Short mmCIF file of all heavy atoms in Angstrom, two decimals:
data_model
loop_
_atom_site.label_atom_id
_atom_site.label_comp_id
_atom_site.label_asym_id
_atom_site.label_seq_id
_atom_site.Cartn_x
_atom_site.Cartn_y
_atom_site.Cartn_z
N LYS A 18 48.57 164.77 40.17
CA LYS A 18 47.76 165.89 40.84
C LYS A 18 46.38 165.93 40.20
O LYS A 18 45.46 166.43 41.05
CB LYS A 18 48.38 167.21 40.56
CG LYS A 18 49.70 167.48 41.38
CD LYS A 18 50.33 168.91 41.18
CE LYS A 18 51.53 169.07 42.09
NZ LYS A 18 52.07 170.54 41.91
N THR A 19 46.05 165.45 39.11
CA THR A 19 44.72 165.45 38.63
C THR A 19 44.13 164.09 38.59
O THR A 19 42.95 163.98 38.04
CB THR A 19 44.79 165.88 37.06
OG1 THR A 19 45.66 165.04 36.34
CG2 THR A 19 45.29 167.38 36.97
N MET A 20 44.69 163.14 39.22
CA MET A 20 44.09 161.76 39.34
C MET A 20 42.74 161.66 40.04
O MET A 20 42.74 162.02 41.21
CB MET A 20 45.06 160.76 39.92
CG MET A 20 44.62 159.32 39.75
SD MET A 20 45.81 158.20 40.62
CE MET A 20 47.31 158.51 39.70
N PRO A 21 41.62 161.35 39.40
CA PRO A 21 40.26 161.38 40.03
C PRO A 21 40.22 160.40 41.21
O PRO A 21 40.89 159.39 41.06
CB PRO A 21 39.37 161.08 38.92
CG PRO A 21 39.98 161.23 37.57
CD PRO A 21 41.53 160.98 37.97
N ASN A 22 39.57 160.73 42.25
CA ASN A 22 39.38 159.90 43.35
C ASN A 22 40.56 159.71 44.29
O ASN A 22 40.53 158.97 45.32
CB ASN A 22 38.86 158.54 43.02
CG ASN A 22 37.47 158.57 42.24
OD1 ASN A 22 36.58 159.42 42.60
ND2 ASN A 22 37.38 157.79 41.16
N TYR A 23 41.69 160.17 43.91
CA TYR A 23 42.95 160.03 44.56
C TYR A 23 43.55 161.29 45.06
O TYR A 23 43.85 161.58 46.24
CB TYR A 23 43.95 159.13 43.88
CG TYR A 23 43.62 157.71 43.72
CD1 TYR A 23 42.74 157.16 42.80
CD2 TYR A 23 44.06 156.84 44.69
CE1 TYR A 23 42.45 155.82 42.72
CE2 TYR A 23 43.76 155.51 44.69
CZ TYR A 23 42.95 155.00 43.76
OH TYR A 23 42.71 153.60 43.65
N PHE A 24 43.81 162.17 44.02
CA PHE A 24 44.58 163.43 44.35
C PHE A 24 43.82 164.77 43.88
O PHE A 24 44.29 165.72 44.29
CB PHE A 24 45.96 163.29 43.66
CG PHE A 24 46.86 162.20 44.15
CD1 PHE A 24 46.89 160.96 43.39
CD2 PHE A 24 47.38 162.25 45.33
CE1 PHE A 24 47.59 159.96 43.97
CE2 PHE A 24 48.22 161.24 45.80
CZ PHE A 24 48.33 160.16 45.08
N ASP A 25 42.96 164.60 42.99
CA ASP A 25 42.38 165.85 42.35
C ASP A 25 41.62 166.73 43.38
O ASP A 25 41.59 167.98 43.11
CB ASP A 25 41.47 165.55 41.19
CG ASP A 25 40.22 164.77 41.70
OD1 ASP A 25 40.31 163.93 42.66
OD2 ASP A 25 39.26 164.91 41.05
N GLU A 26 41.22 166.19 44.51
CA GLU A 26 40.49 167.10 45.49
C GLU A 26 41.43 167.60 46.66
O GLU A 26 40.95 168.26 47.55
CB GLU A 26 39.35 166.34 46.08
CG GLU A 26 38.25 165.99 45.06
CD GLU A 26 37.07 165.31 45.79
OE1 GLU A 26 37.08 165.12 47.03
OE2 GLU A 26 36.08 164.98 45.00
N TYR A 27 42.79 167.32 46.44
CA TYR A 27 43.72 167.70 47.46
C TYR A 27 44.83 168.62 46.96
O TYR A 27 45.04 168.59 45.83
CB TYR A 27 44.33 166.38 48.13
CG TYR A 27 43.44 165.54 48.74
CD1 TYR A 27 42.71 164.52 47.92
CD2 TYR A 27 43.16 165.47 50.05
CE1 TYR A 27 41.84 163.60 48.47
CE2 TYR A 27 42.27 164.54 50.59
CZ TYR A 27 41.64 163.58 49.81
OH TYR A 27 40.79 162.70 50.43
N ASP A 28 45.40 169.50 47.91
CA ASP A 28 46.68 170.14 47.58
C ASP A 28 47.76 169.03 47.68
O ASP A 28 47.99 168.44 48.72
CB ASP A 28 46.87 171.23 48.58
CG ASP A 28 45.94 172.37 48.37
OD1 ASP A 28 45.48 172.57 47.23
OD2 ASP A 28 45.69 173.13 49.40
N THR A 29 48.42 168.72 46.50
CA THR A 29 49.33 167.62 46.51
C THR A 29 50.69 168.17 46.03
O THR A 29 50.81 168.89 45.01
CB THR A 29 48.81 166.60 45.43
OG1 THR A 29 47.59 166.12 45.85
CG2 THR A 29 49.92 165.39 45.21
N THR A 30 51.76 167.71 46.70
CA THR A 30 53.16 168.09 46.39
C THR A 30 53.81 166.80 46.00
O THR A 30 53.78 165.73 46.55
CB THR A 30 53.89 168.60 47.70
OG1 THR A 30 53.08 169.71 48.10
CG2 THR A 30 55.27 169.06 47.35
N VAL A 31 54.53 166.95 44.88
CA VAL A 31 55.31 165.81 44.32
C VAL A 31 56.77 166.10 44.32
O VAL A 31 57.24 167.07 43.81
CB VAL A 31 54.95 165.51 42.73
CG1 VAL A 31 55.69 164.40 42.18
CG2 VAL A 31 53.34 165.25 42.81
N HIS A 32 57.48 165.21 44.90
CA HIS A 32 59.03 165.24 44.98
C HIS A 32 59.60 164.11 44.18
O HIS A 32 59.23 163.00 44.33
CB HIS A 32 59.49 165.14 46.35
CG HIS A 32 58.98 166.11 47.41
ND1 HIS A 32 59.29 167.42 47.57
CD2 HIS A 32 57.79 165.86 48.26
CE1 HIS A 32 58.65 167.99 48.47
NE2 HIS A 32 57.68 167.10 48.94
N PHE A 33 60.46 164.43 43.32
CA PHE A 33 61.16 163.35 42.54
C PHE A 33 62.52 163.15 43.16
O PHE A 33 63.41 164.09 43.38
CB PHE A 33 61.39 163.85 41.05
CG PHE A 33 60.14 163.82 40.29
CD1 PHE A 33 59.35 164.98 40.01
CD2 PHE A 33 59.57 162.60 39.81
CE1 PHE A 33 58.15 165.06 39.33
CE2 PHE A 33 58.35 162.66 39.08
CZ PHE A 33 57.72 163.82 38.83
N ILE A 34 62.76 161.92 43.60
CA ILE A 34 63.96 161.50 44.31
C ILE A 34 64.52 160.33 43.71
O ILE A 34 63.98 159.55 42.92
CB ILE A 34 63.53 161.27 45.90
CG1 ILE A 34 62.66 160.16 46.00
CG2 ILE A 34 63.10 162.66 46.50
CD1 ILE A 34 62.40 159.75 47.48
N SER A 35 65.74 159.86 44.21
CA SER A 35 66.41 158.73 43.65
C SER A 35 65.87 157.39 44.44
O SER A 35 65.19 157.54 45.46
CB SER A 35 67.91 158.78 43.88
OG SER A 35 68.21 158.64 45.28
N GLU A 36 66.21 156.35 43.76
CA GLU A 36 65.75 155.01 44.34
C GLU A 36 66.47 154.85 45.79
O GLU A 36 65.83 154.39 46.69
CB GLU A 36 66.06 153.83 43.45
CG GLU A 36 65.40 152.62 43.76
CD GLU A 36 65.61 151.64 42.63
OE1 GLU A 36 66.26 151.81 41.70
OE2 GLU A 36 64.95 150.54 42.80
N GLU A 37 67.63 155.35 45.82
CA GLU A 37 68.37 155.19 47.05
C GLU A 37 67.80 155.95 48.18
O GLU A 37 67.65 155.59 49.32
CB GLU A 37 69.90 155.62 46.89
CG GLU A 37 70.72 154.71 46.00
CD GLU A 37 70.40 154.81 44.47
OE1 GLU A 37 69.82 155.71 44.16
OE2 GLU A 37 70.64 153.74 43.81
N GLU A 38 67.35 157.20 47.86
CA GLU A 38 66.69 158.02 48.73
C GLU A 38 65.38 157.47 49.33
O GLU A 38 65.12 157.53 50.48
CB GLU A 38 66.40 159.42 48.25
CG GLU A 38 67.67 160.31 48.02
CD GLU A 38 67.33 161.67 47.41
OE1 GLU A 38 67.03 161.67 46.07
OE2 GLU A 38 67.46 162.70 48.04
N LEU A 39 64.58 156.98 48.45
CA LEU A 39 63.36 156.27 48.80
C LEU A 39 63.57 155.18 49.80
O LEU A 39 62.89 155.07 50.76
CB LEU A 39 62.69 155.75 47.45
CG LEU A 39 61.20 155.28 47.77
CD1 LEU A 39 60.22 156.46 48.12
CD2 LEU A 39 60.70 154.55 46.60
N LYS A 40 64.53 154.31 49.44
CA LYS A 40 64.74 153.26 50.33
C LYS A 40 65.43 153.63 51.69
O LYS A 40 65.04 153.11 52.76
CB LYS A 40 65.74 152.26 49.67
CG LYS A 40 65.17 151.46 48.52
CD LYS A 40 66.28 150.57 47.87
CE LYS A 40 65.67 149.81 46.68
NZ LYS A 40 66.65 148.95 45.98
N ARG A 41 66.22 154.68 51.69
CA ARG A 41 66.87 155.08 52.90
C ARG A 41 65.84 155.94 53.85
O ARG A 41 65.86 155.72 55.06
CB ARG A 41 68.01 156.06 52.55
CG ARG A 41 68.90 156.52 53.63
CD ARG A 41 69.81 157.54 53.38
NE ARG A 41 69.21 158.79 52.94
CZ ARG A 41 69.63 159.63 51.93
NH1 ARG A 41 70.72 159.35 51.19
NH2 ARG A 41 68.87 160.70 51.63
N ASP A 42 65.14 156.69 53.25
CA ASP A 42 64.33 157.79 53.96
C ASP A 42 62.79 157.39 54.07
O ASP A 42 62.05 157.94 54.94
CB ASP A 42 64.46 159.21 53.47
CG ASP A 42 65.93 159.60 53.43
OD1 ASP A 42 66.67 159.16 54.30
OD2 ASP A 42 66.26 160.38 52.56
N TYR A 43 62.25 156.48 53.21
CA TYR A 43 60.78 156.31 53.20
C TYR A 43 60.55 154.84 53.02
O TYR A 43 59.56 154.48 52.34
CB TYR A 43 60.26 157.11 52.04
CG TYR A 43 60.58 158.54 52.05
CD1 TYR A 43 61.62 159.03 51.19
CD2 TYR A 43 59.94 159.44 52.92
CE1 TYR A 43 62.00 160.45 51.24
CE2 TYR A 43 60.45 160.70 52.94
CZ TYR A 43 61.34 161.22 52.14
OH TYR A 43 61.67 162.65 52.13
N SER A 44 61.26 153.94 53.71
CA SER A 44 61.05 152.56 53.54
C SER A 44 59.98 151.93 54.43
O SER A 44 59.43 151.01 54.20
CB SER A 44 62.30 151.74 53.84
OG SER A 44 62.83 152.08 55.13
N GLY A 45 59.63 152.71 55.54
CA GLY A 45 58.59 152.30 56.50
C GLY A 45 57.22 152.41 56.01
O GLY A 45 56.96 153.09 54.92
N ILE A 46 56.22 151.90 56.77
CA ILE A 46 54.87 152.06 56.45
C ILE A 46 54.02 152.56 57.74
O ILE A 46 53.22 151.90 58.34
CB ILE A 46 54.23 150.71 55.93
CG1 ILE A 46 55.12 149.98 55.05
CG2 ILE A 46 52.89 151.02 55.35
CD1 ILE A 46 54.63 148.59 54.57
N PRO A 47 54.48 153.80 58.15
CA PRO A 47 53.82 154.35 59.26
C PRO A 47 52.49 154.97 58.94
O PRO A 47 52.15 155.19 57.74
CB PRO A 47 54.76 155.54 59.69
CG PRO A 47 55.29 156.01 58.39
CD PRO A 47 55.44 154.76 57.57
N HIS A 48 51.56 155.02 59.92
CA HIS A 48 50.29 155.73 59.62
C HIS A 48 49.68 155.97 60.98
O HIS A 48 50.27 155.93 62.12
CB HIS A 48 49.34 154.80 58.85
CG HIS A 48 48.57 155.66 57.97
ND1 HIS A 48 47.98 156.90 58.20
CD2 HIS A 48 48.26 155.40 56.59
CE1 HIS A 48 47.41 157.38 57.14
NE2 HIS A 48 47.56 156.57 56.11
N GLY A 49 48.47 156.44 60.99
CA GLY A 49 47.75 156.89 62.18
C GLY A 49 46.65 157.85 61.92
O GLY A 49 46.22 158.07 60.75
#
């Protein structure tokens, strides 16, 4: 949350999840 040039100027939410959850739910690279 305090990382300069990356997160410090934003409202940032951090979720701690398992490796399995990351692979299952967040494996893609969408954007727009």
Side-chain angles (χ1 to χ4, degrees):
K18 290 184 173 181
T19 59
M20 190 182 297
N22 303 318
Y23 285 89
F24 297 101
D25 62 332
E26 295 183 1
Y27 299 85
D28 289 334
T29 301
T30 305
V31 178
H32 306 277
F33 290 99
I34 61 175
S35 69
E36 194 168 9
E37 291 72 23
E38 287 176 292
L39 187 71
K40 290 179 180 178
R41 184 190 68 216
D42 300 330
Y43 306 101
S44 60
I46 315 177
H48 219 317

